Amino acid sequence: MKVCNYSCVYCQLGRTKNLQIERKKYFETKDVIDSLYERISANGGIDYITFMGDGEPTLAANLGEMVSELKGLWDGKTALITNGSLLFKTDVKKDALLFDVVSPTVAAGDEKKFRRIHRPHGKITYDLYLKGLMQFSEEYGGICGPK
Ligand code: SF4
């Protein structure tokens, strides 16, 4: 099920039926970690584990918990592919800072194009998105680049 706060014109998952902006726990942390650990154990030589999902991964309220637990049992690197629109929120920024690589979407240069391309939830504005992205890049010490 797609969960997103955008409904991008280019989305491979189709139009977003219900735009979400509140974070929720969609999967139990333990179930995700157990499943990942099983795969890591069965397939050696994994360099990166990337969090993306069917929609926007930062809408998962337990994103930070999941990546922290993963890092506690595995030495590889973690990556986050995000639309970047919620980085202005302190809790989302805190979770994103835990990743080794963060790849936010950069596709529009002003409010008009932003709304036309991403068709975001009404509470997300271009200014908020940009503010979040800039604050994040000032604090982040990992690899950050647009997807
Ligand atoms: S942010 Fe990603 S998942 Fe959400 S609508 Fe855009 S392309 Fe689709």
Side-chain angles (χ1 to χ4, degrees), residues 2-14 16 53-56 82-83 105 117-118 147:
K2 181 185 180 185
V3 178
C4 200
N5 54 354
Y6 278 5
S7 184
C8 303
V9 290
Y10 54 77
C11 185
Q12 73 271 25
L13 301 170
T16 310
D54 287 345
E56 173 48 36
T82 171
N83 65 27
T105 302
I117 295 170
H118 300 304
K147 67 178 177 181

Side-chain angles (χ1 to χ4, degrees), residues 90-110:
T90 310
D91 55 333
V92 172
K93 184 175 70 177
K94 193 169 151 229
D95 289 355
L97 287 169
L98 297 169
F99 286 83
D100 299 295
V101 175
V102 176
S103 181
T105 302
V106 179
D110 59 45

Side-chain angles (χ1 to χ4, degrees), residues 38-56:
E38 215 172 273
R39 282 157 202 254
I40 292 166
S41 307
N43 303 285
I46 296 173
D47 298 321
Y48 276 87
I49 290 182
T50 302
F51 286 62
M52 45 193 297
D54 287 345
E56 173 48 36

